[in-house]
Amino acid sequence: MRILAACAAFLLLALPGQAEELKVMIGRDLPRVVVQTPDGPVTIMREQDSANEVTGEWARPSRDCPPFCIQPMTPAEGVTTIGELELLEMLQDPEALVIDSRTRDWYLRGTIPGGRPIPYTEILDRLGDLGCEADFDGWDCSAAKRVALFCNGLWCGQSPTAIRSMVGAGYPPERIFYYRGGMQSWRMLGLTVITPGG
């Protein structure tokens, strides 16, 4: 027993970065996730400083409503609302797209690694990027990709607006997933954020 304890202590001393890296994991058996981005692979993990606090814009729990009203759990019938673990699965799925539906100014302040920027104001013009094809009546979305949309948080209407527009244009709601917690929940959990172009 003493030998095992000595070996464990040696490993902790010999590999301090490794031991600290695993202090705060995403899940019991999920220390980190690697996702592909246009700039190469990015490792998503949680902030390792357990005394870390969210500050600034993301620490504000109250915002003027309107326009920043709490969003419904489901933005459109047939759409599935997901959490962080499901979003991480979609980020690793080469057949799925995760869409940062915020306006460019918000996107440039930091985003989820692997999230593709398609502002809610442009979503209908970009359905072709999501597997739909233009036809005489608008869009044929029979080959639409599985997509997850996120914006700033529970109070942000950008993703719900985009989702309702997509469904209205014929995008199959069962292929749309809504990460309702958005950037605020992502940051509250200390998950990796990247700054595009930074």
Side-chain angles (χ1 to χ4, degrees):
M1 199 59 127
R2 279 189 225 170
I3 294 173
L4 287 176
C7 288
F10 172 77
L11 286 174
L12 289 175
L13 291 172
L15 304 169
Q18 293 290 338
E20 278 189 358
E21 184 178 342
L22 301 177
K23 186 170 82 176
V24 181
M25 299 198 321
I26 294 170
R28 185 176 303 275
D29 298 319
L30 186 64
R32 69 187 65 78
V33 171
V34 177
V35 299
Q36 294 300 320
T37 73
D39 296 325
V42 173
T43 300
I44 297 175
M45 54 190 295
R46 291 180 68 192
E47 169 64 47
Q48 293 302 296
D49 178 2
S50 58
N52 184 56
E53 294 182 357
V54 175
T55 59
E57 182 73 25
W58 305 107
R60 292 178 45 213
S62 295
R63 295 162 195 273
D64 293 343
C65 171
F68 305 112
C69 301
I70 296 173
Q71 297 300 308
M73 186 60 75
T74 304
E77 189 174 331
V79 171
T80 301
T81 301
I82 61 173
E84 293 74 23
L85 297 178
E86 295 83 7
L87 188 69
L88 287 167
E89 286 178 17
M90 290 188 76
L91 284 165
Q92 296 176 89
D93 181 351
E95 301 298 316
L97 289 175
V98 173
I99 299 170
D100 184 336
S101 63
R102 300 174 302 157
T103 55
R104 184 162 176 76
D105 58 327
W106 279 108
Y107 169 75
L108 291 174
R109 293 183 204 175
T111 190
I112 294 171
R116 182 175 180 175
I118 303 179
Y120 78 102
T121 55
E122 299 175 17
I123 197 77
L124 290 180
D125 296 330
R126 307 267 306 268
L127 290 178
D129 296 343
L130 310 180
C132 298
E133 291 187 27
D135 67 15
F136 292 111
D137 295 324
W139 291 97
D140 173 7
C141 293
S142 56
K145 297 178 181 182
R146 287 178 55 239
V147 295
L149 285 81
F150 70 91
C151 52
N152 281 322
L154 307 172
W155 45 269
C156 181
Q158 294 175 88
S159 290
T161 298
I163 289 168
R164 287 189 288 271
S165 296
M166 291 168 69
V167 171
Y171 208 97
E174 66 275 5
R175 295 188 192 163
I176 302 174
F177 298 83
Y178 171 42
Y179 174 43
R180 184 173 179 252
M183 289 304 299
Q184 190 166 35
S185 293
W186 188 265
R187 287 179 183 266
M188 291 293 290
L189 290 170
L191 290 161
T192 303
V193 173
I194 59 171
T195 303

